[in-house]
């Protein structure tokens, strides 16, 4: 008995193992072969170096946004030293801290009521901004300090970049001053900063800092006072010398301040207030946010072939926004390659390691991409010939589908309810990816199977009518397509929906409806449909199409009385359209209803009375 049980268990286990092997072999056989792209095949050979985690690109965009620059610029221009600000900071305590700052700085930092008001204004209104600025300073300040130390410029001037650009290398003023140190075009050229179609070194953190240091050291030789150097940096040395003359030869900033341009009057106090907040941020509960990247975590590599930021991002698995942050001087998101000139790419050190270890594969991929000529997708769509379906295919579709032309105010939900089908089916039959549907579009709607079976049974007795009906539906759809005139417009710089609507004699609402827009925002280069005029095609009025629309075979046997002869008033209900109303009255067309009621378009409202009597 025991032997029998053991034999049974062994046989069962053997069966399971055989079944598992068969299943595994079957799965192995049906597993599809995965083809790698050229990019993936290149990356599969890379040596991976996991030294640092990927930086969150959304957080990076938040840190480098221009909102802080706009806010600080506005503050400096509008700050009023004579307005007292209600903020918790005892005057005596502030005097002690300013004295401590003055003892270890070459700047003449003195307490005055105007400086106290500016400091309190920043504390009250700009706490969050300074928290973000301190995170950015961990990356930018080492560049500034390195450049200033070479020429013996006070390191405290690094805080001036906060006032100038809010530490945004892409900041551009209304006058065209650009970069962290806000150099004008001519001044940038004067200090040997390269500016061409590909590169603007005014946005390069290191090279622009060297130029700023050079300027500061030259101005100090002229004025011998660092506050006056800052004033000249803002308004120019000519305005400073005028202020000295107007004040009777005084040479201290606080003595000539009222004679300087209005913006410069708030410039040096804003600089000193910024220095104070960075020095005493802990005492005021200002906590720096997480640093996006630290200076010592990056390095540079010399580029041997022109390559785009997208190619680098694809190859190194990093967001383009991070490459833009680390390489702001490349204007077109491309690292160029000029004969006889060196151009460097700054990346996190782990990405530098991957780049240097796989240079041959990376440049092979870049060369491969340069050989492929791409056509912009919008241009390709316009030059690609439109292929019309064969006549046989249209005829076969007409047998299985009804056709409905979208009216003003329609949506997929209302159309689905009207034909007792689901929105999912409607999208499937018409290859729709969203729930938006354009005015004037012809939709295919599959007929109900049971009703179609009943109708087709009866139609067999009258084949000539069936053929006529199919041809009418197909020709109506074809005519509808041929009579739809669509005009496109590519959005140019300075355009908005209002100006485009005015240009083409339409309205903003119609533009949004034609292009399925949910807001008034439009993107430069976007192609908009600005007009889509559809010539009305009357619906087939023979008894066969009426029977299909009503899903009733009785309409073949007994024709309903025509409203053309009887006369009747109809009150529009919610969800009605001229098409649905015309179907309620056999023999009545949309054109008839519009003619009887003097309607020029198809815009009808609930409660409106329509005459259906000729």
């Amino acid at each position: 008995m025991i032997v029998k049980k053991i034999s049974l268990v062994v046989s069962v286990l053997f069966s399971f193992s055989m079944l598992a092997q068969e299943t595994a072999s079957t799965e192995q056989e049906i597993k599809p072969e995965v083809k790698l792209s050229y990019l993936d095949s290149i990356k599969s050979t890379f040596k991976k170096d996991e030294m640092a985690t990927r930086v969150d690109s959304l957080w990076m965009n938040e840190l480098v946004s221009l909102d802080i620059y706009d806010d600080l610029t506005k503050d400096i221009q509008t700050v009023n030293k004579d307005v007292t600000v209600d903020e918790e900071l005892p005057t005596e305590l502030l005097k002690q801290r300013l004295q401590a700052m003055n003892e270890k700085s070459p700047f003449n930092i003195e307490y005055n009521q105007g400086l106290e008001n500016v400091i309190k204004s920043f504390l009250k209104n700009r706490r969050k901004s300074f928290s973000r600025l301190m995170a950015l300073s961990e990356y930018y300040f080492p560049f500034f300090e390195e450049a200033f130390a070479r020429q013996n410029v006070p390191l405290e001037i690094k805080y001036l970049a906060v006032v100038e650009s809010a530490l945004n290398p892409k900041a551009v003023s209304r006058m065209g001053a650009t970069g962290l140190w806000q150099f004008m075009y001519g001044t940038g050229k004067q200090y040997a900063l390269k500016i061409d179609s590909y590169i603007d070194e005014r946005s390069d953190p290191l090279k622009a800092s060297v130029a700023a240091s050079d300027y500061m050291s030259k101005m100090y030789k002229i004025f011998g006072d660092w506050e006056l150097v800052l004033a000249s940096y803002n308004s120019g040395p000519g305005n400073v010398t005028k202020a000295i003359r107007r004040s009777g030869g005084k040479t201290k900033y606080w003595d000539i301040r009222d004679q300087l341009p209005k913006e410069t009057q708030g410039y040096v106090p804003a600089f000193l207030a910024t220095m104070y907040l960075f020095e005493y941020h802990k005492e005021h509960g200002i906590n720096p946010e997480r640093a996006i990247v630290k200076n010592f975590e990056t390095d540079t590599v010399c580029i041997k072939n022109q390559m785009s930021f997208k190619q680098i991002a694809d190859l190194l698995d990093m967001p383009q926004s991070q490459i833009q942050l680390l390489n702001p001087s490349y204007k077109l998101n491309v690292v160029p390659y000029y004969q006889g000139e060196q151009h460097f790419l700054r990346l996190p050190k782990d990405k530098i390691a991957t780049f240097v270890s796989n240079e041959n594969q990376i440049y092979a991929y870049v060369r491969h991409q340069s050989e492929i000529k791409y056509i912009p997708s919008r241009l390709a769509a316009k030059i690609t010939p439109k292929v019309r379906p064969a006549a046989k295919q249209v005829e076969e579709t007409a047998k299985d589908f009804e056709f409905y032309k979208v009216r003003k105010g329609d949506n997929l939900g209302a159309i689905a309810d009207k034909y007792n089908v689901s929105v999912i089916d409607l999208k499937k039959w018409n290859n729709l990816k969203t729930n938006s549907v354009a005015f004037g579009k012809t939709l295919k709607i599959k007929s109900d199977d049971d009703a179609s079976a009943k109708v087709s049974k009866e139609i067999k007795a009258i084949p000539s009518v069936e053929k006529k009906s199919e041809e009418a539906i197909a020709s109506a759809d074809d005519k509808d397509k041929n009579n739809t005139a669509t005009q496109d417009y590519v959005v140019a710089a300075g355009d908005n929906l209002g100006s485009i609507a005015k240009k083409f004699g339409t309205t903003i609402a119609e533009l949004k409806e034609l292009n399925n827009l949910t807001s008034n925002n439009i993107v430069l280069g976007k192609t908009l449909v600005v007009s889509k005029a559809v010539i009305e095609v009357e619906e087939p009025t023979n008894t066969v199409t009426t029977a299909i629309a009503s899903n009733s075979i009785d309409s073949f046997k007994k024709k309903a009385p025509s409203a053309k002869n009887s006369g009747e008033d109809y009150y529009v209900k919610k969800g009605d359209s001229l098409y649905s109303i015309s179907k309620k009255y056999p023999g009545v067309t949309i054109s008839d209803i519009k003619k009887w009621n003097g309607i020029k378009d198809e815009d009808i409202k609930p409660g409106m009375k329509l005459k259906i009597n000729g």
Side-chain angles (χ1 to χ4, degrees):
M1 189 69 177
I2 295 173
V3 174
K4 286 183 178 180
K5 287 183 179 179
I6 293 173
S7 301
L8 180 61
V9 170
V10 170
S11 61
V12 170
L13 290 174
F14 181 74
S15 301
F16 278 143
S17 64
M18 291 297 292
L19 180 61
Q21 288 177 5
E22 289 177 6
T23 305
S25 62
T26 304
E27 289 178 355
Q28 192 171 5
E29 289 172 4
I30 65 174
K31 187 175 181 180
E33 182 183 353
V34 179
K35 293 185 178 180
L36 294 176
S37 66
Y38 183 70
L39 174 62
D40 290 332
S41 64
I42 286 285
K43 288 164 65 176
S44 66
T45 66
F46 279 9
K47 300 173 185 177
K48 301 296 182 181
D49 189 346
E50 304 296 340
M51 287 177 60
T53 57
R54 186 180 302 175
V55 178
D56 184 349
S57 61
L58 292 177
W59 179 233
M60 187 180 315
N61 290 336
E62 171 70 12
L63 284 177
V64 298
S65 65
L66 285 170
D67 57 345
I68 308 180
Y69 169 72
D70 296 334
D71 291 342
L72 284 180
T73 302
K74 185 178 179 181
D75 277 353
I76 294 166
Q77 292 172 349
T78 60
V79 69
N80 189 341
K81 70 180 190 310
D82 300 322
V83 176
T84 303
V85 180
D86 183 19
E87 180 68 18
E88 185 63 31
L89 177 58
T91 300
E92 288 302 318
L93 178 60
L94 177 60
K95 287 181 178 179
Q96 293 174 14
R97 290 174 178 174
L98 291 177
Q99 178 61 30
M101 289 170 57
N102 184 62
E103 290 172 356
K104 58 181 182 180
S105 172
F107 287 89
N108 183 26
I109 304 174
E110 297 178 356
Y111 168 84
N112 60 70
Q113 186 61 47
L115 179 57
E116 179 179 350
N117 292 340
V118 175
I119 290 173
K120 286 184 175 181
S121 176
F122 280 2
L123 281 171
K124 185 175 182 178
N125 303 315
R126 297 288 168 240
R127 283 179 177 271
K128 186 177 179 181
S129 297
F130 274 91
S131 180
R132 291 164 60 187
L133 288 166
M134 288 172 191
L136 285 170
S137 70
E138 292 193 42
Y139 176 68
Y140 289 113
F141 278 6
F143 287 118
F144 306 159
E145 292 168 349
E146 179 184 352
F148 294 155
R150 289 177 182 175
Q151 299 201 46
N152 204 26
V153 172
L155 300 186
E156 289 88 345
I157 290 183
K158 65 188 177 185
Y159 299 119
L160 189 65
V162 177
V163 177
E164 284 285 346
S165 64
L167 298 182
N168 192 321
K170 290 293 188 181
V172 180
S173 74
R174 288 177 297 174
M175 300 298 292
T178 300
L180 290 161
W181 294 100
Q182 292 289 281
F183 281 105
M184 296 294 288
Y185 178 86
T187 311
K189 286 287 191 180
Q190 180 183 346
Y191 283 89
L193 294 177
K194 185 179 181 63
I195 306 172
D196 63 18
S197 297
Y198 278 106
I199 298 172
D200 189 342
E201 288 182 347
R202 291 178 294 173
S203 295
D204 186 292
L206 184 56
K207 293 183 179 180
S209 298
V210 171
S213 177
D214 192 17
Y215 179 92
M216 301 287 183
S217 60
K218 287 181 179 178
M219 288 299 104
Y220 184 73
K221 290 176 183 177
I222 295 173
F223 293 108
D225 182 274
W226 286 112
E227 282 84 3
L228 294 184
V229 170
L230 297 182
S232 70
Y233 193 87
N234 178 252
S235 62
N239 283 322
V240 176
T241 56
K242 289 175 188 174
I244 292 173
R245 290 190 179 98
R246 288 169 183 157
S247 63
K250 295 179 180 178
T251 57
K252 293 295 181 182
Y253 171 80
W254 297 103
D255 294 332
I256 68 169
R257 182 172 179 270
D258 292 338
Q259 307 299 327
L260 291 167
K262 186 176 180 180
E263 183 179 336
T264 311
Q265 291 179 26
Y267 187 74
V268 174
F271 164 75
L272 295 175
T274 300
M275 187 191 304
Y276 173 84
L277 262 63
F278 268 79
E279 291 287 330
Y280 291 97
H281 66 91
K282 291 181 181 178
E283 287 78 358
H284 290 286
I286 300 175
N287 299 314
E289 293 181 353
R290 178 173 61 90
I292 185 167
V293 63
K294 296 182 179 179
N295 188 280
F296 64 83
E297 293 176 346
T298 67
D299 200 354
T300 59
V301 60
C302 185
I303 296 301
K304 301 173 184 176
N305 199 348
Q306 178 172 305
M307 55 200 316
S308 69
F309 285 4
K310 185 181 186 311
Q311 290 171 335
I312 299 165
D314 289 342
L315 286 162
L316 301 181
D317 290 327
M318 60 187 299
Q320 283 193 65
S321 57
Q322 188 178 11
I323 303 173
Q324 291 166 349
L325 173 71
L326 299 178
N327 301 273
S329 61
Y330 296 120
K331 296 159 65 174
L332 303 180
N333 291 341
V334 171
V335 185
Y337 179 73
Y338 309 152
Q339 289 292 340
E341 291 189 24
Q342 289 184 325
H343 296 111
F344 293 88
L345 178 69
R346 182 173 291 276
L347 295 170
K349 284 187 177 179
D350 61 318
K351 302 301 181 183
I352 287 285
T354 303
F355 191 102
V356 173
S357 300
N358 304 280
E359 276 190 313
N360 292 336
Q361 299 97 308
I362 287 173
Y363 288 124
Y365 172 73
V366 171
R367 284 192 296 271
H368 169 76
Q369 285 244 304
S370 66
E371 293 169 0
I372 303 173
K373 304 300 181 184
Y374 292 101
I375 299 177
S377 57
R378 290 191 184 91
L379 176 61
K382 288 185 176 182
I383 64 176
T384 303
K386 303 289 187 297
V387 181
R388 287 187 173 274
K392 185 177 180 182
Q393 290 176 322
V394 175
E395 186 177 338
E396 289 175 357
T397 305
K399 292 179 183 178
D400 301 326
F401 289 92
E402 295 182 44
F403 296 89
Y404 176 75
K405 186 167 58 183
V406 177
R407 311 298 177 188
K408 192 170 183 179
D410 276 347
N411 58 62
L412 286 186
I415 298 170
D417 290 341
K418 191 177 295 182
Y419 285 92
N420 195 27
V421 297
S422 70
V423 174
I424 295 174
D425 287 337
L426 271 180
K427 292 169 70 175
K428 178 182 175 183
W429 297 330
N430 295 278
N431 294 324
L432 299 176
K433 294 182 179 179
T434 67
N435 289 337
S436 302
V437 60
F439 169 65
K441 180 178 177 64
T442 299
L443 296 179
K444 295 185 294 184
I445 303 171
K446 197 166 186 178
S447 304
D448 183 77
D449 293 339
D450 295 336
S452 298
K454 284 180 69 181
V455 174
S456 61
K457 210 172 186 180
E458 190 70 25
I459 291 177
K460 286 180 181 177
I462 43 173
S464 60
V465 179
E466 178 193 63
K467 186 174 181 183
K468 183 178 179 181
S469 170
E470 291 172 1
E471 291 174 353
I473 295 172
S475 62
D477 183 60
D478 215 24
K479 186 177 180 182
D480 184 90
K481 289 180 181 176
N482 291 335
N483 287 289
T484 301
T486 301
Q487 186 176 2
D488 293 339
Y489 176 75
V490 179
V491 178
D495 276 343
N496 56 56
L497 285 183
S499 64
I500 297 171
K502 186 175 181 182
K503 185 181 295 184
F504 290 94
T506 183
T507 65
I508 293 176
E510 288 174 346
L511 281 177
K512 291 172 73 174
E513 185 176 350
L514 285 173
N515 296 277
N516 298 325
L517 300 176
T518 56
S519 70
N520 291 340
N521 297 327
I522 50 175
V523 181
L524 179 66
K526 178 178 177 62
T527 301
L528 296 178
V529 177
V530 294
S531 67
K532 196 168 186 178
V534 182
I535 298 176
E536 187 65 57
V537 180
E538 289 191 0
E539 307 296 330
T541 57
N542 57 70
T543 55
V544 175
T545 54
T546 306
I548 294 174
S550 62
N551 288 330
S552 173
I553 196 66
D554 294 335
S555 57
F556 283 105
K557 299 178 179 177
K558 184 178 181 181
K559 192 175 180 181
S562 172
K564 284 186 177 181
N565 301 322
S566 61
E568 186 177 335
D569 289 339
Y570 179 81
Y571 289 89
V572 178
K573 300 181 183 63
K574 189 175 180 180
D576 276 347
S577 66
L578 291 184
Y579 174 78
S580 64
I581 296 170
S582 69
K583 289 304 179 184
K584 297 178 186 291
Y585 299 95
V588 174
T589 66
I590 295 173
S591 297
D592 289 335
I593 299 175
K594 291 169 72 173
K595 178 181 177 183
W596 296 334
N597 295 276
I599 299 173
K600 293 183 179 180
D601 54 26
E602 298 184 9
D603 189 12
I604 56 175
K605 298 178 180 178
M608 183 177 178
K609 186 172 76 171
L610 297 178
K611 295 179 181 179
I612 314 291
N613 57 11

